[in-house]
Amino acid sequence: MEWGNDLTGYFTTDPSARKWLGKHKVINRVHGYEVCHRYIRSVDYSRVNSVFFVADWLAELAFGLFPGHFKDAKVYTINNCLHPEDFPLMPVPDHRSFAQLGSVARIQSVKQPMVAMGIGQHLFRHKRGSVTWLGQPQEIDLWLALIMGMDREGGFILQGNTVPHEKMPEWWSDKTHVLCTSIRETQGLSYMEAMLTGRTPRSIVTGK
C-alpha cells in the first residue's frame, strides 16, 4: 500500500476488508504527510508486515509521535534517490523582465497551491512573471477553488495532466525558477530535479 493514510486504515481495521486481504502480506510506504497529519492513528500496524519510511528522520518523528504503534511491524528506511543523468543542466531563459516559475506536486492542502496561485497573480499583475502548476487533483474541493480563482486573473496556469518522467526536462526548459509552497517536504524530489536542470529555487515557508 503506497500511502499510510485512511485507506490503509480501512484495510487494516475493518473486518470485511481484513477478510478481503486474506493471507496476503501487507507492505506500507509512509511519507511525511501521513505522519504530520496523524493519519498513522487510523492504521492498525499489527496487521502490517513491513513498513518503509522514505527518510530516517521521518521514522524517528513517527516513533516519537506514536510510541509503540509500530512495535509489531518490521520497519525499514528506503531513501528516495535522484538520477542526475536524467536531468541535465540546461540554459535558463532570461528572467530579468519576466519570470516563469514552475511547481510540480499533487493538488492537496499540504502543498498549498492557493499560495502559488496568489504569487503568480501578484507577479502577473505587476508584469513580473507567472506560475505554472503541474499536478493531478487529490483534493477535489481545492482543485475546484483553483479553477474558479484562475477565472478572475491571469498569472497562474494549472496543468492537470501528467507528463512522463522522461519528458520532465523538456517541461522545465521554458521555466526560470522552481517554486515550493509546501508546508512540509520530506525530500521534495520534483524540486531537486528542477534544480539539477539549473532552475533557481524559490520557497515560501509557512509551516514548521
Side-chain angles (χ1 to χ4, degrees):
M1 294 184 179
E2 173 68 12
W3 307 97
N5 55 15
D6 45 2
L7 182 61
T8 305
Y10 166 72
F11 276 108
T12 57
T13 58
D14 185 270
S16 59
R18 293 203 308 265
K19 184 178 180 180
W20 181 83
L21 285 175
K23 296 182 180 180
H24 295 290
K25 290 186 177 182
V26 179
I27 299 173
N28 186 212
R29 185 168 181 250
V30 180
H31 310 72
Y33 95 98
E34 294 103 327
V35 176
C36 297
H37 287 265
R38 308 302 176 101
Y39 281 117
I40 299 298
R41 294 190 190 279
S42 67
V43 181
D44 181 1
Y45 277 98
S46 67
R47 300 183 181 278
V48 176
N49 300 92
S50 300
V51 181
F52 292 90
F53 285 91
V54 297
D56 288 329
W57 71 263
L58 185 62
E60 294 175 5
L61 177 62
F63 299 155
L65 290 174
F66 311 101
H69 206 63
F70 300 92
K71 61 182 177 62
D72 296 319
K74 294 180 180 178
V75 178
Y76 307 90
T77 296
I78 298 182
N79 293 295
N80 290 324
C81 64
L82 288 169
H83 295 281
E85 64 276 9
D86 294 339
F87 289 84
L89 189 65
M90 299 184 297
V92 177
D94 185 7
H95 55 272
R96 287 173 292 183
S97 59
F98 198 88
Q100 299 278 5
L101 284 73
S103 190
V104 179
R106 285 187 173 93
I107 298 171
Q108 58 187 93
S109 301
V110 71
K111 304 295 185 181
Q112 299 197 114
M114 295 295 288
V115 174
M117 182 169 68
I119 293 170
Q121 291 173 345
H122 176 80
L123 290 171
F124 192 76
R125 195 179 307 125
H126 294 277
K127 300 180 180 180
R128 296 293 303 275
S130 66
V131 172
T132 301
W133 187 288
L134 175 66
Q136 293 183 320
Q138 189 165 341
E139 298 177 19
I140 300 301
D141 290 345
L142 182 56
W143 178 63
L144 292 174
L146 288 167
I147 293 175
M148 294 177 65
M150 286 193 301
D151 289 340
R152 292 194 295 271
E153 297 186 54
F156 183 76
I157 302 169
L158 184 58
Q159 190 176 341
N161 61 308
T162 57
V163 174
H165 193 253
E166 64 272 14
K167 296 290 186 181
M168 284 306 300
E170 181 180 338
W171 188 85
W172 282 111
S173 63
D174 65 344
K175 311 298 186 297
T176 58
H177 299 78
V178 52
L179 176 65
C180 175
T181 54
S182 296
I183 295 176
R184 295 179 180 88
E185 282 291 340
T186 308
Q187 290 176 320
L189 288 181
S190 64
Y191 308 114
M192 290 190 282
E193 289 172 345
M195 291 167 64
L196 283 173
T197 70
R199 275 60 201 160
T200 304
R202 291 290 182 262
S203 179
I204 308 300
V205 181
T206 61
K208 294 182 180 179

